Amino acid sequence: AIQHGDIHRNNFNYRFTQADLVKDLLPELTGVWGTSTSEFLVRNSCYPKEDISIVGQLRTDVIPALKAQFAKNNHRQKFTVLFASQPFFNQDLRKRMYVDVLKASKELPEISFIHKPHPGETNWSFFDEMDKENSHRIERTDQDLYELLAQSTVVVTGFSTVGVEAVYFEKDLIVMDYQKEDLAGYVKENVALQATSHEELIDFIKHLSSGSELLKADFKHDYVARRTHQIDGLASKRLKEAIEAL
């Protein structure tokens, strides 16, 4: 098995019991992103430590090349905020988050805003209707996420895995967290700013666009080391070697 998404305390799909081990439900090898996932599976589930291999996140293999590609044109890039939305059971909360980003975009016309809907958000008319209601719209795209991250300056989301990937690209992360739950743990890890209103969102973006360092680079680097081992373009090679060693 290969880890394909974030695994955290609110994800119950990876919690197994001793009875599951007897039923032989676990794979012989589980390739995970980093030490934090490995420790979580051993501590909060019944994964045998010897069956887990820390290889890094496969998709990150492209990050060094993407960062180098967009760095060449960095002097021509506008300060850009990428909003990564996600499906919510609570549609009022989903609407509130999108409208808050719209308000920030309207308040900060000198800054570029890009909206990347979640792959599960196939009905874009949900957002089109709110654009009409608020007499304002932001660019919406289904462009590859990593290409968008490479050319963005700040990333805004809820508790999406995109938050993890934003840190991989060394971007400043803002989570819209109205109830201060910090579901993905980004705030606790000191890799994200927590906004509970459009006013706070606007204030954070203003400070970041003026050059203020609101998030320390050391925390981001430590987070990456624990979450995805290394971003060196060699995760696929490490996984291949782990599989061949079975």
Side-chain angles (χ1 to χ4, degrees), residues 77-192:
Q77 288 182 11
K78 190 176 181 181
F79 192 96
T80 301
V81 175
L82 174 64
F83 171 51
S85 60
Q86 61 191 114
F88 285 106
F89 289 116
N90 186 331
Q91 293 302 298
D92 290 335
L93 185 63
R94 184 181 175 214
K95 180 177 181 179
R96 179 181 177 185
M97 187 177 298
Y98 182 74
V99 170
D100 278 353
V101 174
L102 277 181
K103 289 178 179 178
S105 173
K106 200 170 185 178
E107 177 77 16
L108 304 167
E110 72 282 5
I111 291 174
S112 175
F113 281 75
I114 300 175
H115 175 207
K116 167 69 171 176
H118 186 278
E121 294 178 305
T122 56
N123 183 14
W124 287 12
S125 62
F126 175 86
F127 304 110
D128 294 335
E129 290 173 7
M130 284 183 284
D131 290 343
K132 292 178 182 178
E133 290 175 10
N134 291 273
S135 302
H136 186 75
R137 79 178 304 276
I138 57 179
E139 178 186 350
R140 191 153 27 256
T141 180
D142 60 358
Q143 184 181 347
D144 178 76
L145 174 62
Y146 272 25
E147 290 182 354
L148 291 171
L149 286 169
Q151 58 190 299
S152 299
T153 320
V154 171
V155 176
V156 178
T157 192
F159 52 88
S160 168
T161 305
V162 174
V164 178
E165 295 168 312
V167 183
Y168 291 170
F169 278 85
E170 301 178 271
K171 305 300 179 178
D172 287 316
L173 175 63
I174 302 173
V175 293
M176 300 303 297
D177 189 7
Y178 301 105
Q179 298 175 329
K180 294 188 175 182
E181 297 175 296
D182 192 23
L183 292 176
Y186 300 140
V187 177
K188 180 181 178 180
E189 295 281 1
N190 295 303
V191 295

